[in-house]
Amino acid sequence: MRQKLARVLGGVAITALVFSGAACKADSGSDASGNKAACDLKIGFFGPLTGDAAGLGIHMRNGTKLAIDQYNKDNKDCKVNLAEYDSQGDPAKAAPLAQQAVGDSKVVGIIGPAFSGESEVADPIFDAAGLPIITPSATRPSLSTKNWKIFHRGVGNDTSQGPAAGRYIKNVLKADKVYVVDDQSAYGAGLVDEVKKVIGTAAGEDKVQVKQTNFSAVVTKIQSSGANVLFFGGYYTEAGLLLKQLKGAGWKGTMVAGDGVNDANFIKVAGEQVAEGTILTCPCAPATAAKGTFVTDYKAAFAQAEPGTYADVSYDITKIMLEGVKAGKATRADLLSFISSYNKAGGATGVTYKFEANGELDPAQVLVWAFKVNAGKVVPDIEIPKA
């Protein structure tokens, strides 16, 4: 009877802990202050793991997975689990996935959402539930203007990337006629708006759609404009198809695009010869030149694959959450407070992660790089100087 009673009481206690947003604590996880690391909690990754934009999402998920796997190796008796929310980069899928995440009391933090459009749908749901997020890649500036207390951005936004891309077009490419095209996504349209502020009057502009495959009308307009540079705001599938059709029609200019195109899959879609010379920007340093053992560890964990765009950022921001968990931040509210007051350099990026009141990364830490497609690979070109 006594043994049975103990089991019943133990079950009640555990249930109470789970529904209060906490989980078990292990004596082996104590830190110097006496706090104990929370066990059996979850950190979620929210972004595209299948579909047309999966190339970007998988590298970010891998960075998160690597950080969690390394943490669990060092904390075998007090592990953290990875929960994956495959949005396919589609805002229409974001709401049910966000509801799924907030409905799991063991999920105490989200890495993501990866894209701006899905962020606009999911973040209000996360905010209502007090579930803290750090996005490694959603760059639309307006995301930090919504008064979401849970919002944090681990990179610069498009008010840094867009003008930098514009300066590269003007000062490095010295283009006299620039045509601009966006895919009407929250990300693509916002990025083009920022580029236009720097380049001035464009030679022409147009809009396409996500999942569009025939760009003949846009191709004709670009050729007729006499533009020698095309800036594209959107993602790699549409960018690759557009450039392939544009070059096939005889256009000799250079495409410049943002971080949504900065992925090896762009070269696969466009073709190696067609993609050659394309310039891709990112409010991030090259992941392949990350600090410490990150690159070696990543390749060892993922079949010798090179880390892609934002893999290193995802790794670092996941480690922020893990550091909070290790310190005993077992509730969403406690982890949110920990993240909001964080002020340390990441091991892979070297960036000091310090967030402003609106969740933006400290502007002093923001940098923008230009990458170039060369011989079938996306390689670093230059860090674009600040204005």
Side-chain angles (χ1 to χ4, degrees), residues 177-191:
K177 290 187 177 182
V178 183
Y179 203 98
V180 296
V181 175
D182 72 71
D183 66 353
Q184 303 183 68
S185 68
Y187 158 73
L191 186 58

Side-chain angles (χ1 to χ4, degrees), residues 115-128 133 138-153 157 186-187 356-360:
F115 293 169
S116 297
E118 63 190 10
S119 295
E120 292 184 333
V121 177
D123 285 359
I125 298 171
F126 294 141
D127 191 60
I133 69 144
T139 55
R140 185 160 193 170
S142 61
L143 294 178
S144 64
T145 68
K146 311 290 187 179
N147 295 317
W148 296 326
K149 302 303 182 186
I150 51 84
F151 178 80
H152 304 86
R153 192 178 346 238
N157 63 35
Y187 158 73
E356 299 191 306
N358 61 0
E360 292 285 7

Side-chain angles (χ1 to χ4, degrees), residues 43 51 58 105 111 121 124 131 164 182 316 349 372:
I43 291 174
I58 287 171
S105 61
I111 303 302
V121 177
L131 179 57
D182 72 71
D316 275 354
T349 62
K372 180 180 288 187

Side-chain angles (χ1 to χ4, degrees), residues 130-314:
L131 179 57
I133 69 144
I134 313 177
T135 178
S137 55
T139 55
R140 185 160 193 170
S142 61
L143 294 178
S144 64
T145 68
K146 311 290 187 179
N147 295 317
W148 296 326
K149 302 303 182 186
I150 51 84
F151 178 80
H152 304 86
R153 192 178 346 238
V155 294
N157 63 35
D158 289 335
T159 61
S160 58
Q161 180 180 195
R167 291 195 299 276
Y168 189 98
I169 290 169
K170 287 182 66 175
N171 302 332
V172 179
L173 297 180
K174 300 187 183 303
D176 54 354
K177 290 187 177 182
V178 183
Y179 203 98
V180 296
V181 175
D182 72 71
D183 66 353
Q184 303 183 68
S185 68
Y187 158 73
L191 186 58
V192 163
D193 286 344
E194 296 299 328
V195 170
K196 288 193 296 183
K197 292 176 183 177
V198 175
I199 64 172
T201 303
E205 55 186 290
D206 210 336
K207 296 183 180 296
V208 298
Q209 296 180 339
V210 175
K211 298 187 182 299
Q212 183 172 333
T213 57
N214 185 335
F215 297 96
S216 57
V218 182
V219 165
T220 298
K221 293 177 184 178
I222 294 171
Q223 285 184 299
S224 299
S225 74
N228 50 5
V229 167
L230 164 65
F231 183 83
F232 180 78
Y235 297 100
Y236 62 75
T237 299
E238 290 75 26
L241 291 173
L242 172 57
L243 185 60
K244 187 174 185 177
Q245 293 172 35
L246 193 53
K247 294 284 189 177
W251 188 65
K252 303 298 184 183
T254 299
M255 174 182 275
V256 180
D259 53 323
V261 184
N262 194 343
D263 187 86
N265 282 294
F266 164 71
I267 301 171
K268 293 180 181 179
V269 174
E272 186 173 323
Q273 289 186 331
V274 169
E276 185 76 8
T278 300
I279 302 299
L280 307 172
T281 62
C282 183
C284 63
T288 52
K291 300 179 183 300
T293 62
F294 172 76
V295 175
T296 301
D297 293 344
Y298 186 98
K299 292 173 72 172
F302 302 109
Q304 296 304 307
E306 295 280 356
T309 304
Y310 296 129
D312 53 341
V313 178
S314 295

Side-chain angles (χ1 to χ4, degrees), residues 2-24:
R2 182 177 179 182
Q3 197 173 26
K4 181 178 180 181
L5 180 61
R7 286 199 299 268
V8 171
L9 291 174
V12 172
I14 290 172
T15 301
L17 280 171
V18 169
F19 281 95
S20 69
C24 64

